[in-house]
Amino acid sequence: DMPPSLKSYPKEDRTMAQASNTIKKSLLVLGGNGYVGQNVLHAAIQSNLFSEVRAFNRSGAPKSPPPHLAESLSQVEFLTGDIFDNSAREDAIDGNYAVVSCIGAFGSNDFMKKICGDATIEAIETSKQKGVNKFGFVSSAQVYEGSTGLKIPPSMPMHGYFQGKYNAEQKLLEAYPDGHVILRPGFIYGRRNLGSVQLPLQLIGAPINIVGNHLGPISSLIQSVPFVGKEVSSMVPVESVGRSMIDSLKEEKGVILEAADIQK
């Protein structure tokens, strides 16, 4: 069954009781039913840092969550709506202490720039207006000044993906100079569901990660290859992405974690 529509949840139920002197640290994860988003939600539930954990996405709760995440995801309130629907977005974001964007997709350059960039930018602006304290964003290892990813010509594949992530990062740094959390992983591996089939991406990602980082001269040679070297050296397990995001939300200052920081 589809979860109730966003309108089923009155705004007053998502806000802090004014009589209380304590901050109700509720968390909202955008794109929470995706591969990375589910692991961020799992880490949030396991952390016990938040009084409430919610997700907002177009398709609601995942129909067949991975067994190792199912228990945690059953404790998440999934809200259904379109991030580009101003009213739905504002309703979902209002009253939260922290918002994390795991929104992303692949397709044409225009599509990727919209989904990987504009969607998060809209969420950042709304979060700022609604008084959200912290905003987290899962970016890319290719998003840094002078990176090969950002030098890809507009006509080439993936330009929109990296440019969109870069645009979102810039907006987040401007809006939340002390309240941002930016993660820059490369390829993210781990157990991933594709319909009813679970893909053990860790069986591919973990060995490549070892070759790219822990074999001395061989690793150095691989890392010297433009773009490919950066991606290989920046591979991280999805569990580390989720845990790093939630742990970093506790910091008082802004945080940017490169792949090596996430891998720790």
Side-chain angles (χ1 to χ4, degrees), residues 112-145:
M112 289 189 290
K113 190 174 180 181
K114 178 180 179 181
I115 301 302
C116 299
D118 296 346
T120 295
I121 290 172
E122 294 275 0
I124 293 168
E125 292 176 343
T126 299
S127 296
K128 192 67 176 176
Q129 293 167 4
K130 296 296 183 179
V132 171
N133 295 69
K134 296 278 187 175
F135 196 103
F137 177 49
V138 180
S139 186
S140 165
Q142 292 290 345
V143 177
Y144 60 92
E145 295 295 338

Side-chain angles (χ1 to χ4, degrees), residues 73-91:
L73 295 180
S74 70
Q75 301 176 54
V76 175
E77 180 181 344
F78 282 86
L79 308 176
T80 305
D82 189 332
I83 192 67
F84 292 106
D85 180 328
N86 291 343
S87 178
R89 183 181 67 251
E90 290 172 1
D91 246 8

Side-chain angles (χ1 to χ4, degrees), residues 31-261:
N33 69 341
Y35 172 53
V36 175
Q38 289 181 31
N39 281 272
V40 172
L41 289 169
H42 172 69
I45 292 293
Q46 294 295 307
S47 74
N48 290 317
L49 287 175
F50 303 96
S51 56
E52 296 171 285
V53 179
R54 299 185 180 86
F56 178 67
N57 43 263
R58 295 183 65 177
S59 54
K63 295 180 180 179
S64 302
H68 67 291
L69 302 179
E71 173 60 29
S72 291
L73 295 180
S74 70
Q75 301 176 54
V76 175
E77 180 181 344
F78 282 86
L79 308 176
T80 305
D82 189 332
I83 192 67
F84 292 106
D85 180 328
N86 291 343
S87 178
R89 183 181 67 251
E90 290 172 1
D91 246 8
I93 289 175
D94 195 15
N96 288 287
Y97 171 80
V99 173
V100 172
S101 175
C102 300
I103 301 172
F106 296 100
S108 69
N109 277 323
D110 286 344
F111 175 76
M112 289 189 290
K113 190 174 180 181
K114 178 180 179 181
I115 301 302
C116 299
D118 296 346
T120 295
I121 290 172
E122 294 275 0
I124 293 168
E125 292 176 343
T126 299
S127 296
K128 192 67 176 176
Q129 293 167 4
K130 296 296 183 179
V132 171
N133 295 69
K134 296 278 187 175
F135 196 103
F137 177 49
V138 180
S139 186
S140 165
Q142 292 290 345
V143 177
Y144 60 92
E145 295 295 338
S147 73
T148 302
L150 293 179
K151 292 178 181 176
I152 294 175
S155 60
M156 297 295 289
M158 295 301 289
H159 168 82
Y161 180 86
F162 297 124
Q163 193 61 51
K165 295 275 191 182
Y166 176 78
N167 293 345
E169 275 200 23
Q170 294 303 300
K171 183 64 181 180
L172 180 51
L173 291 170
E174 173 194 330
Y176 283 90
D178 294 318
H180 63 267
V181 175
I182 297 172
L183 269 54
R184 292 175 175 167
F187 177 76
I188 301 172
Y189 61 89
R191 287 174 285 181
R192 181 171 188 169
N193 274 20
L194 186 61
S196 59
V197 179
Q198 188 173 90
L199 300 179
L201 295 183
Q202 73 275 13
L203 299 183
I204 302 172
I208 296 177
N209 183 30
I210 291 173
V211 172
N213 290 284
H214 304 293
L215 294 184
I218 295 176
S219 299
S220 297
L221 179 62
I222 293 172
Q223 291 177 22
S224 69
V225 180
F227 190 84
V228 174
K230 181 66 176 178
E231 283 299 304
V232 170
S233 66
S234 301
M235 298 176 75
V236 295
V238 68
E239 296 87 358
S240 295
V241 175
R243 186 172 58 252
S244 294
M245 176 60 74
I246 298 306
D247 286 347
S248 297
L249 289 173
K250 296 184 291 185
E251 299 295 328
E252 295 182 3
K253 297 292 184 179
V255 175
I256 298 178
L257 296 183
E258 305 293 346
D261 303 311

